[in-house]
């Protein structure tokens, strides 16, 4: 499994890297289309994510999207494999699910030529989950030109609220010009 698998693959292939086609552990890299489908990404959004992928953490955590729009995003995640030493869902796993949903929704709102950058995430944990799946439901609270704020409610299989989270993302224009990605402009 690779983070941003397609972008990394393209870079390796362009450089003639012999690791092209291999995952970060040297095994065969997953097919981009298959990984996006397995994550539940709606077909209409797959071209948008083809260059970015869903991210290795989404895959590791077992997050599967059910809905994905700027106004509302829903995904599930298994408890098993995401627990802390007490055998309950790790609080950080709640945060990962919340940030994933809020960031994807904000990115959709940002639109072409723009991206979302998380500036605040908070989570209140109400109760524990020791088995099954959890479902995160992300709802837009504010969709502005420069900020997007979403509330994420995470529930267990019985619909009981486990966590309430809120994320705010700054919406920025993609950099233009000759600088390399990740390089700050003066």
């Amino acid at each position: 499994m690779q983070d941003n698998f397609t972008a990394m693959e393209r870079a390796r292939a362009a450089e003639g890297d012999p690791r092209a086609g291999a995952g970060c552990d040297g095994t065969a890299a997953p097919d981009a289309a298959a990984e996006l489908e397995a994550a539940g990404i709606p077909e209409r959004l797959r071209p948008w994510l083809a260059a970015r992928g869903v991210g290795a953490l989404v895959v590791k955590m077992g997050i599967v999207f059910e809905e994905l729009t700027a106004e509302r995003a829903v995904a599930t995640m298994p408890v098993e494999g995401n627990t802390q030493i007490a055998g309950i869902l790790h609080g950080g796993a709640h945060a990962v699910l919340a940030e994933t949903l809020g960031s994807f929704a904000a990115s959709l709102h940002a639109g072409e030529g723009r991206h979302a950058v998380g500036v605040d995430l908070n989570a209140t944990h109400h109760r524990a989950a020791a088995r099954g799946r959890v479902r995160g439901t992300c709802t837009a609270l504010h969709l502005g030109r420069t900020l997007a704020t979403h509330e994420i409610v995470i529930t267990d299989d019985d619909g009981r609220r486990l966590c309430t989270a809120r994320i705010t993302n700054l919406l920025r224009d993609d950099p233009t010009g000759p600088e390399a990605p990740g390089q700050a402009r003066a």
Side-chain angles (χ1 to χ4, degrees):
M1 148 184 20
Q2 294 176 200
D3 196 13
N4 299 325
F5 52 86
T6 304
M8 184 181 290
E9 252 330 275
R10 286 184 185 152
R12 283 181 175 170
E15 295 170 1
D17 189 320
R19 295 175 298 163
C24 54
D25 61 356
T27 61
D31 175 67
E35 188 167 310
L36 292 171
E37 182 178 356
I41 299 297
E43 194 168 335
R44 65 182 166 70
L45 297 177
R46 292 178 193 166
W48 171 62
L49 289 170
R52 298 180 181 155
V54 293
L57 191 55
V58 169
V59 175
K60 286 178 186 176
M61 302 293 285
I63 296 171
V64 176
F65 292 90
E66 295 178 345
E67 293 180 46
L68 189 52
T69 68
E71 297 80 16
R72 179 179 158 90
V74 180
T76 61
M77 180 178 68
V79 172
E80 185 177 346
N82 294 317
T83 57
Q84 47 132 297
I85 60 171
I88 59 174
L89 185 63
H90 195 289
H94 287 277
V96 168
L97 180 57
E99 184 155 354
T100 298
L101 286 166
S103 294
F104 270 69
S107 292
L108 284 170
H109 173 65
E112 186 77 25
R114 303 190 80 212
H115 61 277
V117 178
V119 294
D120 180 64
L121 173 68
N122 64 70
T124 301
H125 304 288
H126 307 292
R127 67 183 318 138
R131 63 185 179 289
R133 299 189 78 68
V134 297
R135 172 171 280 106
T137 302
C138 171
T139 307
L141 298 176
H142 172 77
L143 295 174
R145 189 181 65 78
T146 58
L147 288 177
T149 302
H150 291 83
E151 177 184 65
I152 301 89
V153 174
I154 301 173
T155 57
D156 65 12
D157 285 332
D158 296 323
R160 295 176 298 196
R161 188 180 290 234
L162 304 174
C163 178
T164 304
R166 190 187 75 230
I167 184 170
T168 298
N169 281 280
L170 177 64
L171 307 178
R172 311 261 332 242
D173 292 333
D174 289 342
T176 58
E179 65 275 346
Q183 201 174 36
R185 289 190 281 183

